[in-house]
Amino acid sequence: TPEEYYERIGLVPNVIFPSGALARDNLIHLYYGAADTTCCLAYIHLRKLLEKLKGRGAVKLVRAKENPIITPISEHPWESKATFNPAAIYLKGKIHIVYRAMSEDNTSVFGYAVSKDGIHIDYRSPNPIYLPRESFEEKGEPGGNSGCEDPRLTKIGERIYVLYTAFNGRSVPQVALTWILA
């Protein structure tokens, strides 16, 4: 439930979107978008989660006190309006975060950040890592929403598959898929 100021005030007020999760050190880290403006993190001990699920009790995650962990950077036109709905994957001792970034003209692309502890960002790419390039994700209406949205990461073998929403502003949003080598 939206409770904090960064979850209540933004492009879409009073909304949170859980979008990436990983288990590490007996904690479940849940990455989420807050008010369609920032990327945030909540967590719960795995044991507590399992106990609550068995007992059918309410599950309450703890928000990281450092939230939001990723916010728009006005000097980067591609992410100056919003950063939200992050995916996360743990590889080689680091948490890799791919997040939706939005420009002032409402074009969504993917940004990239790395964290050793899952909370503090150790590296953030100054450029987007994935841009709209297909007709089903390129801008179809000036000023309208379009692009690559809401990534989800899954590692299978040596590949990391990225499922995402592709939207050109005219057609119905579509599920799209790409991959990179891990």
Side-chain angles (χ1 to χ4, degrees):
T1 304
E3 295 174 359
E4 301 295 330
Y5 76 93
Y6 51 83
E7 298 166 342
R8 291 182 284 116
I9 299 169
L11 296 175
V12 180
N14 295 312
V15 175
I16 56 174
F17 296 97
S19 51
L22 59 90
R24 182 170 171 251
D25 299 330
N26 292 312
L27 283 177
I28 301 295
H29 293 78
L30 179 70
Y31 291 86
Y32 65 97
D36 269 6
T37 308
T38 61
C39 297
C40 299
L41 170 67
Y43 55 88
I44 189 169
H45 287 275
L46 180 57
R47 187 184 81 252
K48 283 185 180 180
L49 175 62
L50 294 175
E51 287 171 3
K52 293 283 188 181
L53 292 175
K54 286 179 186 174
R56 299 180 190 242
V59 175
K60 182 143 176 124
L61 284 80
V62 176
R63 290 169 175 83
K65 66 179 186 276
E66 297 84 357
N67 277 333
I69 61 171
I70 298 174
T71 58
I73 297 176
S74 59
E75 295 81 21
H76 296 170
W78 59 275
E79 65 175 349
S80 59
K81 187 170 190 176
T83 55
F84 53 111
N85 299 359
I89 192 166
Y90 184 75
L91 296 169
K92 300 178 183 172
K94 296 178 185 172
I95 297 171
H96 302 267
I97 301 168
V98 176
Y99 59 93
R100 178 179 173 189
M102 185 180 281
S103 65
E104 293 298 329
D105 79 342
N106 300 317
T107 300
S108 291
V109 301
F110 294 151
Y112 173 73
V114 177
S115 173
K116 292 177 193 156
D117 64 7
I119 298 171
H120 303 94
I121 302 302
D122 299 304
Y123 171 78
R124 187 163 167 188
S125 177
N127 298 302
I129 62 164
Y130 197 82
L131 299 165
R133 58 181 69 126
E134 299 294 335
S135 61
F136 52 82
E137 57 196 19
E138 290 180 335
K139 189 165 295 296
E141 300 292 329
N145 289 339
S146 66
C148 309
E149 305 177 357
D150 309 337
R152 305 296 188 264
L153 306 173
T154 303
K155 184 175 185 280
I156 302 174
E158 293 303 312
R159 292 183 182 180
I160 299 171
Y161 292 90
V162 183
L163 285 161
Y164 65 97
T165 302
F167 185 53
N168 64 11
R170 288 186 314 252
S171 304
V172 175
Q174 299 180 39
V175 175
L177 170 72
T178 190
W179 60 269
I180 59 171
L181 291 174

